[in-house]
Amino acid sequence: MLWIVLALLLFIIQIAFVIIIEYQRPGKAVVWLIVLFILPVIGFLLYLFVAKEYLCPPALSRTDKGRWDGLKDDLRTRSRQRVLKDLHGKFIVQDDNLYALLKNIPVAPITACNETTVFVEGEQAFEAMLDAIAASKHHIHVEFYIIRDDQLGIRFEQLLIQKAQEGVKVRFLYDGIGSRQLGKAYLKRLRNAGVETECFFPLLTSFFHKRLNYRNHRKIVVVDGNIGFFGGLNIGDEYLGNDPKFGYWRDTHFSIKGDAVLWVQYTFLSDWHLVTGQVITDPVYYPIQDSRGNELVQIVKSGPDETILELIFSLVVSAKKRIFIETPYFIPDPGVLLALKTAITRGVDVRMIIPAVPDKNLVYCATLSYVQELLQAGGRVYGYRKGFIHSKLIISDDLALSGSANMDIRSFCNQFEINAVFFDGKVVDRLLQDFYRDLEVSEEILQSDFEQRSMLQKMQNVFARLLSPLF
């Protein structure tokens, strides 16, 4: 009898611990309480190692902090001077409150003189990356969530080795969980050739340091500080459409020239510093840009310590005409979901494209439960049928936000992401055209589809919805 009392007391202590720690996040608290009921001891251990709030890295030394702050101030000054010249006579944002938010994002300002190229397929994007790397003279910075040792991965490996042997400085950063299958032989070949390789939060150390939940989801290539690439593509054959399950892979990726490259570079070197402790502020990595473009672009660096959630919320509430969304996963924050439903009530055209065939069944079940709410409010949702859609895009009237962040809680709060706000009509129009083309190969999901679900499917959606704050 005593052991029952002790077990009950221990269980009550675990519940109290979760409630005290998570009282400001009731949704997350409820999910972890469910996990505790299902797995009384294991669930608590998972909570301790997975749910801990992100701790910022140790403070920099006075010297390093001065160098870092000086770099940021210099980049901001350079960017703002060219923006003020380029902004003359232009009205770039549909809402004053949204413009105030964008103007005051603490890390990266709006930049001018940019030229953007949009890629919707992996082959085009990867060839552009490889061509830029082949032409490099000084340095190459590569950072991806997933890097595979397959045909595409080997092409990158061989070219990086070649450039390192030519004397180009090559830095290579990969995520410890996303690239957990990347073999030691692959990394050894890079290191032996002189490529500096680093792992962002390795699997084992992340577990014991309670950082398992905080992944680097960015996809970045910067060459000579003059051209940058970012977006949704990782390095792997499936992103070329060679996965037998999904076939065609639809994504959105960008190459960019101009002042925005400085902030893509800054994002990479911030991550490099977090992993290695190196503070790299040499001006050679931040050259004066000679781009003759006239596009305004804002690079938005986000993570567990600088969320993108406020920006997404503002894009939704400021929209007057349309909100078009493409995302492989739709697990919105309650505030974003309410803002979307309110926008529909205001008469805004809200449409969203998601995959018709999921890659993660549990996440897809949760996605459908949120989709049902949007449909009930009057929104329109489509399932992409041509293959798998991995594109991450929000078009709010005449602005667009795109990059690596999905429309889910992980991207909002837990993952390190890089996105860009595009102000230029040519870029936004191109993204609009891509969206309309995707609609042509998508099938609209109707409210009646949900009414015809079996009881088992409904229960799956309910269960997945309950766990969705953990996704």
Side-chain angles (χ1 to χ4, degrees):
M1 188 68 180
L2 179 60
W3 70 269
I4 296 178
V5 174
L6 291 175
L8 182 60
L9 180 61
L10 178 61
F11 186 59
I12 292 172
I13 291 172
Q14 293 175 2
I15 292 174
F17 183 86
V18 171
I19 291 174
I20 291 170
I21 298 297
E22 301 293 347
Y23 76 96
Q24 292 182 318
R25 297 170 289 272
K28 186 177 175 183
V30 169
V31 175
W32 279 109
L33 290 176
I34 292 171
V35 174
L36 285 181
F37 275 106
I38 297 173
L39 303 167
V41 178
I42 297 174
F44 187 68
L45 291 175
L46 284 173
Y47 174 79
L48 290 177
F49 282 98
V50 175
K52 181 179 178 181
E53 289 300 300
Y54 179 77
L55 296 179
C56 294
L60 294 169
S61 68
R62 182 176 297 181
T63 301
D64 286 345
K65 186 176 187 302
R67 290 170 58 200
W68 208 243
D69 289 345
L71 169 66
K72 288 188 285 187
D73 290 342
D74 177 58
L75 294 180
R76 287 194 194 102
T77 299
R78 287 165 57 182
S79 297
R80 285 169 179 162
Q81 286 174 344
R82 296 179 68 164
V83 163
L84 289 174
K85 181 180 178 181
D86 206 53
L87 269 179
H88 184 68
K90 287 188 177 181
F91 181 73
I92 60 169
V93 180
Q94 65 252 22
D95 182 89
D96 290 340
N97 292 327
L98 176 59
Y99 180 49
L101 174 71
L102 293 169
K103 190 170 63 174
N104 291 304
I105 287 177
V107 179
I110 299 170
T111 65
C113 308
N114 297 293
E115 299 175 77
T116 305
T117 301
V118 182
F119 302 102
V120 298
E121 294 179 343
E123 184 174 357
Q124 301 168 337
F126 292 127
E127 291 303 324
M129 290 182 223
L130 291 166
D131 288 346
I133 290 171
S136 62
K137 302 298 183 183
H138 183 266
H139 68 269
I140 303 162
H141 293 158
V142 176
E143 173 179 0
F144 284 89
Y145 177 63
I146 295 173
I147 301 173
R148 301 203 189 281
D149 187 0
D150 53 19
Q151 290 184 2
L152 180 63
I154 290 171
R155 287 188 67 191
F156 272 86
E157 174 207 352
Q158 291 176 342
L159 187 55
L160 293 176
I161 287 174
Q162 175 189 327
K163 299 306 294 187
Q165 292 173 339
E166 292 174 4
V168 176
K169 187 71 171 178
V170 182
R171 296 182 175 92
F172 181 90
L173 184 61
Y174 62 97
D175 184 78
I177 288 185
S179 299
R180 62 189 178 278
Q181 297 178 349
L182 189 62
K184 293 181 180 179
Y186 186 99
L187 298 169
K188 185 178 180 180
R189 292 192 295 268
L190 289 173
R191 292 183 185 124
N192 288 343
V195 176
E196 294 186 31
T197 66
E198 295 291 344
C199 180
F200 191 97
F201 293 179
L203 179 58
L204 191 59
T205 56
S206 294
F207 183 77
F208 288 108
H209 291 158
K210 302 178 182 179
R211 286 176 161 179
L212 199 63
N213 210 29
Y214 304 106
R215 309 318 314 168
N216 193 318
H217 196 240
R218 294 170 181 149
K219 307 97 166 70
I220 292 173
V221 173
V222 181
V223 177
D224 292 342
N226 290 316
I227 182 169
F229 297 85
F230 64 94
L233 289 166
N234 291 294
I235 296 178
D237 287 347
E238 67 263 43
Y239 300 94
L240 288 168
N242 295 332
D243 187 294
K245 178 181 178 181
F246 299 111
Y248 181 77
W249 190 277
R250 166 70 175 92
D251 223 314
T252 300
H253 213 82
F254 303 92
S255 73
I256 196 160
K257 297 178 181 179
D259 284 1
V261 178
L262 301 174
W263 296 100
V264 180
Q265 180 83 293
Y266 174 83
T267 302
F268 174 88
L269 290 175
S270 297
D271 291 341
W272 192 259
H273 162 254
L274 180 58
V275 173
T276 67
Q278 299 174 18
V279 179
I280 301 174
T281 58
D282 191 320
V284 72
Y285 292 102
Y286 301 92
I288 300 297
Q289 302 296 309
D290 59 2
S291 169
R292 298 182 180 179
N294 58 5
E295 300 168 10
L296 296 172
V297 177
Q298 184 171 24
I299 300 298
V300 182
K301 168 179 173 285
S302 64
D305 54 346
E306 44 190 0
T307 178
I308 197 175
L309 185 57
E310 290 87 351
L311 173 56
I312 292 174
F313 179 83
S314 296
L315 285 170
V316 173
V317 298
S318 69
K320 298 177 177 62
K321 298 181 296 183
R322 62 182 167 229
I323 302 168
F324 293 167
I325 299 171
E326 289 185 334
T327 178
Y329 319 113
F330 183 61
I331 311 291
D333 171 88
V336 171
L337 182 62
L338 178 60
L340 284 168
K341 293 195 290 186
T342 303
I344 294 168
T345 304
R346 291 191 285 111
V348 177
D349 183 6
V350 176
R351 305 190 211 182
M352 182 170 64
I353 300 175
I354 62 173
V357 178
D359 64 335
K360 300 175 182 176
N361 288 325
L362 186 61
V363 179
Y364 190 68
C365 284
T367 290
L368 291 179
S369 72
Y370 290 104
V371 164
Q372 185 177 13
E373 281 198 52
L374 274 190
L375 295 178
Q376 289 171 341
R380 303 180 72 181
V381 183
Y382 303 80
Y384 186 80
R385 290 286 180 184
K386 186 177 178 179
F388 186 77
I389 189 163
H390 193 246
S391 172
K392 303 98 164 49
L393 172 68
I394 300 175
I395 298 174
S396 171
D397 288 350
D398 299 319
L399 296 182
L401 174 72
S402 187
S404 67
N406 297 309
M407 198 77 165
D408 62 9
I409 302 299
R410 292 195 60 78
S411 286
F412 293 158
C413 304
N414 295 338
Q415 294 184 156
F416 295 82
E417 308 280 4
I418 182 169
N419 291 270
V421 180
F422 296 99
F423 301 86
D424 186 76
K426 291 183 296 183
V427 178
V428 177
D429 285 347
R430 165 62 196 274
L431 294 170
L432 268 171
Q433 292 171 15
D434 293 337
F435 184 87
Y436 284 125
R437 275 194 290 268
D438 292 337
L439 282 179
E440 293 175 0
V441 290
S442 301
E443 182 177 343
E444 186 164 6
I445 301 172
L446 304 175
Q447 181 63 28
S448 58
D449 297 333
F450 288 91
E451 296 171 356
Q452 296 170 5
R453 289 175 301 165
S454 67
M455 182 58 66
L456 177 60
Q457 289 174 316
K458 293 177 181 178
M459 290 176 63
Q460 288 174 336
N461 291 159
V462 170
F463 180 72
R465 175 70 171 261
L466 288 173
L467 295 181
S468 64
L470 303 183
F471 298 161

